[in-house]
Amino acid sequence: MAHAASTPRAPLAVAVLVSGTGTNLQALLDTVHGQEAEIVAVASSSAGAPALTRATERGVPTAVFARADYSDRAARDSALADWLADRGARLVVLAGYMELLGAAFLERFGGAVINVHPSLLPAFPGLGAIEQALQYGVKVFGVTVHFVDAGIDSGPVILQRAVELPSAGSPEEVLAALRPVEHALLPEAVRLFARGALSVDPANPRRVVMSPKSAPGVESGG
Ligand code: GRF
């Protein structure tokens, strides 16, 4: 009989919410899917999202929960949460999901909803983060993966990485530099969550702590 400490963890059941192209979904499908995590559901706010095709091509069940099909956002959230729960989701990843989720949804997946955002939060939350940063004239851009709370891109930070672009002049240029960073950080955050490596500092609930051996770049040798 295997020692408990050597028993491999079952893959974490992950749901991904999308609205558009789905390159972050693709990064998850190409890395953690079938490894530490199993993507069990992809839900879109829009029937035309190319992300849905990416999921279908990998055999992942998809559904569309368009705001217009429900009486209000709470009804949409409730139907969405029911479908994700039926699929067994234990972590919900927002990957280019352009809708706000209400408190009831967040409570149902308590502490297990994460988002990727193309700025160094708390700078430039909300829509058009890259455009906001360019308008401000920053020289350092970046990506944040964070837990989702009821605010807009305001939850506790899990991972951040800065990208120096002192001469950036167009959103396309910045996006091209940030894309690979998003596609590295989001799977890394899912891996950390799947390993149970993320916790919150009891003295400061804003501060996400990761167990030292699981920190990115730290070898987990014995
Ligand atoms: C990404 O830039 C992400 O940071 C933001 O929405 C975009 C989604 O891109 N939240 P994609 O659909 O994953 O290609």
Side-chain angles (χ1 to χ4, degrees):
M1 185 177 156
H3 188 274
S6 66
T7 305
R9 276 174 191 269
L12 176 74
V14 175
V16 184
L17 306 192
V18 296
S19 297
T21 315
T23 64
N24 283 283
L25 168 65
Q26 191 67 53
L28 293 169
L29 287 168
D30 291 345
T31 55
V32 292
H33 183 54
Q35 305 287 323
E36 297 93 334
E38 189 70 29
I39 300 178
V40 295
V42 170
S44 175
S45 60
S46 151
L52 291 168
T53 310
R54 297 177 189 270
T56 305
E57 280 173 357
R58 293 295 297 274
V60 176
T62 64
V64 175
F65 294 85
R67 171 67 188 82
D69 293 341
Y70 297 88
S71 52
D72 56 19
R73 199 180 78 186
R76 189 275 318 275
D77 280 7
S78 174
L80 173 59
D82 284 346
W83 187 70
L84 300 181
D86 284 349
R87 301 290 317 151
R90 305 285 306 279
L91 172 69
V92 179
V93 177
L94 312 189
Y97 186 61
M98 302 302 283
E99 297 276 322
L100 290 177
L101 294 165
F105 181 99
L106 297 174
E107 272 163 33
R108 194 147 163 201
F109 292 95
V113 184
I114 69 173
N115 181 46
V116 58
H117 183 77
S119 79
L120 292 173
L121 292 170
F124 315 122
L127 294 176
I130 292 173
E131 288 79 1
Q132 291 182 57
L134 276 168
Q135 185 67 31
Y136 195 91
V138 300
K139 307 299 182 200
V140 181
F141 297 76
V143 170
T144 303
V145 180
H146 63 94
F147 284 112
V148 174
D149 66 10
I152 296 175
D153 300 319
S154 56
V157 170
I158 302 169
L159 294 172
Q160 280 186 312
R161 191 170 296 162
V163 179
E164 290 190 30
L165 297 169
S167 312
S170 73
E172 293 75 21
E173 190 182 345
V174 178
L175 188 61
L178 296 189
R179 275 296 198 229
V181 180
E182 292 191 333
H183 298 167
L185 284 199
L186 187 58
E188 187 56 32
V190 171
R191 273 187 209 105
L192 290 167
F193 191 100
R195 288 176 198 158
L198 300 177
S199 58
V200 169
D201 180 352
N204 175 8
R206 290 283 330 168
R207 186 168 165 263
V208 176
V209 183
M210 61 188 85
S211 52
K213 283 188 175 178
S214 300
V218 176
E219 291 301 323
S220 56

